[in-house]
Amino acid sequence: MTAVAVETEVGRTTRPTPARIPMSRIIGVELRKSFDTRSGFWLLASVGILAVLATAATILFAPDDAITYDSFGAAIGIPMAIILPMIAILSVTSEWSQRTGLTSFTLVPHRGRIIRAKLTVALGVGIVSMLLAFGIGALGNLLGAAIVGVDPVWDIVGGDFAGLILFQILNMLIGFMLGVLFRNSAGAIVGYFVYGFVLGTITSVLAATQEWFEKAQPWVDFNYAQGALTDASSMTGENWAQLAVTGLFWLVIPLAIGLWSVLRSEVK
Amino acid sequence: MIKVESLTKKYGGFTAVDDVSFTAQPGRVTGFLGPNGAGKSTTMRIMVGLTPASSGHAEIAGRRYADLPNPGLEVGVLLDASAQHAGRTGREILTIAAQTMGLPKGRVDAMLERVSLTPTEANRRVRNYSLGMRQRLGIATALLGDPAVLILDEPANGLDPAGIRWMRDLLRGYADQGGTVLLSSHLLHEIEVIADDLVVIGQGRIVAGGTKAELLAAAGTLVRTRDLPTLSRALVAADLHFVESTGALRVEADPDVVGEVALAAGVALTELRSADGAGLEEMFLELTAETQRDQKSEGVAA
């Protein structure tokens, strides 16, 4: 995608050819666009708010022996698994649902660049949110331990952090994939809940009742394979292989189809 | 300078844009005229790369739109003033566009002033804007990068008479400074007062094109009298072609010729004038009528 300035015979006006819009600027604009509406702002703010609420709930309701960093991490992880993918979904679908794409895609006539910028912003927001969540969880752990009068238990170790972040990043990528596939906010959000929760329930019922499926599940069920990441330090090579195989079918291939259709579809 | 060559867009069996070619020249306002659903918006979307063409291509300043390194600085585009995030303020929408183009902050305020949006209005969310305010904001977005080419789809929609006057002056001034303006409309009169050149489209095909003067000159003379039968006989005797339209005759001859025929026949006239645009209007009404019939019989989506 190189734009070479070709001298043409038509140039009546002798303006200099402007420089190509740099990728950093497109990323900056996309970042701004995720903050500058009330809904966008509160969606991002809710990352912090829900992390605090989940931490408070853990302190209030968890039994004393469960005041560990892992409990806080697990409690915060649940709202994150819903909010972060929403951020990823809406960053894509609002261009179609709010029809802002008419402006965005004419100011930058290469949809791939905008989509890459959106993905960069979404992943950046995801990682920052997770770090923030770990911080809030750590404060909760200190506070909770002080309240019940025990020594704080730090039972999330090195690789586990990366595993949990990767877990949420995959959720965001699923959201992003549904966004480019549906290009409609409501459709993609419903799709995410079906994908994450309805499908997960069906497969666990199936695994509980059908022996053949229980054996096959780790190799066909992405949710299940992804679940191993919540305890990343004990993941085996086989677990990683299962994650890769299921991820290919449930994430990479549909994402590729979605991106292909985004680049070719009509923006109205 | 905009050059459109043999653009065609097919949706399944339906041809929305059928071999459309025209040029919009610098220093002139080109009106893109056609009834609703004629293919104006689709053609414009193809020009800016939002809709892929089935065949043919469009060039702006000698390049494909996608090859423009920073299109906002070369082409101002307004396709649909309502296509904005309802939760953003007018100022924010301009700021995002200015940031994308790499323009200084002050440019946003200058543009708000240029389209007469007050600071209070600019800080309101777009969901509270009237259509007229959205059009002004859309025009501000298009003008932001000081482009040499403007592509505006129905920019006068929703503007009040003063607003239409304002936009006419603005676009006139823009063209007079050497800019290329292409604007579409489904209203003949709206475009008649502003365009230098006209491209008329119906059912996806170009049906007429040229300077406004040429298209209007072809119209002949409009003559009105209480004694139509006598005048008609006299015109036939003088070997002049004419058509009757609502109590008047449109004659394919100059007004002085028609006046002399009427005088010789002793017919008192109530009106005699050059039929400015009457031919164009008839053609346009015919197009509109055809489109409407098609919509009824075949249910073709507009």
Side-chain angles (χ1 to χ4, degrees), chain A residues 15 32 36 99 106 266, chain B residues 11 51 65 80 88 92:
Chain A
R15 293 171 178 236
R32 184 180 180 116
D36 71 352
R99 301 183 61 222
T106 44
E266 199 175 1
Chain B
Y11 294 97
T51 294
Y65 190 87
D80 185 342
R88 290 203 177 102
E92 179 62 21

Side-chain angles (χ1 to χ4, degrees), chain A residues 2-6 8-13 15 17-21 25-26 28-29 32-34 36-39 94 98-111 113 264-268, chain B residues 1 11 26 42 45 48-52 61-63 65-74 77 79-80 82-88 92 95-97 99-102 105 125 141 146-148 177-178:
Chain A
T2 46
V4 183
V6 185
T8 55
E9 72 286 359
V10 204
R12 202 192 69 95
T13 44
R15 293 171 178 236
T17 305
R20 183 175 155 91
I21 301 175
R25 202 194 285 159
I26 303 175
V29 168
R32 184 180 180 116
K33 277 158 73 178
S34 56
D36 71 352
T37 62
R38 225 174 264 171
S39 52
S94 67
Q98 298 278 350
R99 301 183 61 222
T100 48
L102 239 55
T103 309
S104 310
F105 297 131
T106 44
L107 289 180
V108 182
H110 300 277
R111 296 181 201 171
R113 302 185 82 201
R264 303 190 75 256
S265 72
E266 199 175 1
V267 182
K268 286 194 166 182
Chain B
M1 170 98 167
Y11 294 97
T42 308
R45 277 204 314 274
V48 300
L50 291 178
T51 294
R63 266 180 294 182
Y65 190 87
D67 293 337
L68 299 173
N70 191 343
L73 301 181
E74 301 189 61
V77 181
L79 293 182
D80 185 342
S82 295
Q84 286 299 350
H85 197 298
R88 290 203 177 102
E92 179 62 21
T95 307
I96 293 172
Q99 199 182 329
T100 309
M101 295 178 215
K105 269 256 163 79
R125 286 170 203 281
T141 314
D146 192 26
Q177 284 164 31

Side-chain angles (χ1 to χ4, degrees), chain A residues 230-256:
Chain A
T230 55
D231 190 11
S233 49
S234 51
M235 271 176 82
T236 62
E238 194 184 18
N239 287 143
W240 286 106
Q242 287 162 346
L243 188 63
V245 169
T246 52
L248 177 69
F249 286 98
W250 287 92
L251 179 60
V252 177
I253 291 174
L255 184 63

Side-chain angles (χ1 to χ4, degrees), chain B residues 245-273:
Chain B
S245 60
T246 54
L249 300 179
R250 196 163 59 76
V251 190
E252 290 173 24
D254 289 340
D256 54 343
V257 176
V258 179
E260 270 166 30
V261 170
L263 179 67
V267 180
L269 299 181
T270 51
E271 192 179 357
L272 175 69
R273 63 177 172 88

Side-chain angles (χ1 to χ4, degrees), chain A residues 90-145:
Chain A
L90 292 174
S91 76
V92 176
T93 56
S94 67
E95 297 284 0
W96 278 267
S97 288
Q98 298 278 350
R99 301 183 61 222
T100 48
L102 239 55
T103 309
S104 310
F105 297 131
T106 44
L107 289 180
V108 182
H110 300 277
R111 296 181 201 171
R113 302 185 82 201
I114 294 191
I115 295 295
R116 259 186 291 150
K118 284 181 185 299
L119 188 59
T120 309
V121 168
L123 295 184
V125 165
I127 290 170
V128 170
S129 299
M130 284 306 290
L131 294 177
L132 179 77
F134 282 132
I136 293 173
L139 288 177
N141 194 25
L142 285 174
L143 187 67

Side-chain angles (χ1 to χ4, degrees), chain B residues 31 33 168 185 187-196 198 212 216 275-278 280-281:
Chain B
L33 182 66
R168 190 197 307 167
S185 178
L187 300 172
L188 176 63
H189 293 291
E190 191 178 276
I191 228 156
E192 228 181 331
V193 295
I194 177 166
D196 304 304
L198 289 174
K212 185 170 66 178
L216 295 186
D276 284 340
L280 199 57
E281 184 154 24

Side-chain angles (χ1 to χ4, degrees), chain A:
Chain A
M1 290 203 294
T2 46
V4 183
V6 185
E7 274 301 311
T8 55
E9 72 286 359
V10 204
R12 202 192 69 95
T13 44
T14 50
R15 293 171 178 236
T17 305
R20 183 175 155 91
I21 301 175
M23 194 63 200
S24 59
R25 202 194 285 159
I26 303 175
I27 293 172
V29 168
E30 288 305 326
L31 182 63
R32 184 180 180 116
K33 277 158 73 178
S34 56
F35 279 95
D36 71 352
T37 62
R38 225 174 264 171
S39 52
F41 173 80
W42 284 108
L43 197 58
L44 284 170
S46 65
V47 168
I49 294 169
L50 288 172
V52 170
L53 286 179
T55 303
T58 308
I59 294 174
L60 286 175
F61 303 118
D64 289 1
D65 61 346
I67 298 291
T68 67
Y69 196 27
D70 190 44
S71 307
F72 286 98
I76 294 172
I78 294 165
M80 291 297 142
I82 295 169
I83 298 294
L84 294 179
M86 295 299 122
I87 291 172
I89 287 172
L90 292 174
S91 76
V92 176
T93 56
S94 67
E95 297 284 0
W96 278 267
S97 288
Q98 298 278 350
R99 301 183 61 222
T100 48
L102 239 55
T103 309
S104 310
F105 297 131
T106 44
L107 289 180
V108 182
H110 300 277
R111 296 181 201 171
R113 302 185 82 201
I114 294 191
I115 295 295
R116 259 186 291 150
K118 284 181 185 299
L119 188 59
T120 309
V121 168
L123 295 184
V125 165
I127 290 170
V128 170
S129 299
M130 284 306 290
L131 294 177
L132 179 77
F134 282 132
I136 293 173
L139 288 177
N141 194 25
L142 285 174
L143 187 67
I147 290 172
V148 295
V150 296
D151 283 338
V153 183
W154 301 104
D155 49 357
I156 301 181
V157 292
D160 290 341
F161 285 105
L164 288 169
I165 291 176
L166 184 59
F167 177 80
Q168 299 291 2
I169 293 293
L170 286 177
N171 282 335
M172 289 187 91
L173 286 174
I174 292 167
F176 203 83
M177 174 270 285
L178 293 166
V180 289
L181 214 50
F182 286 98
R183 299 194 293 282
N184 172 291
S185 301
I189 289 172
V190 170
Y192 182 74
F193 283 103
V194 170
Y195 190 107
F197 297 93
V198 178
L199 219 57
T201 311
I202 292 173
T203 50
S204 56
V205 169
L206 209 57
T209 53
Q210 305 287 325
E211 204 180 324
W212 62 269
F213 186 77
E214 199 188 351
K215 284 193 191 112
Q217 191 177 22
W219 293 100
V220 295
D221 185 349
F222 187 41
N223 285 315
Y224 184 89
Q226 205 189 338
L229 283 170
T230 55
D231 190 11
S233 49
S234 51
M235 271 176 82
T236 62
E238 194 184 18
N239 287 143
W240 286 106
Q242 287 162 346
L243 188 63
V245 169
T246 52
L248 177 69
F249 286 98
W250 287 92
L251 179 60
V252 177
I253 291 174
L255 184 63
I257 295 170
L259 290 174
W260 180 80
S261 67
V262 158
L263 297 185
R264 303 190 75 256
S265 72
E266 199 175 1
V267 182
K268 286 194 166 182

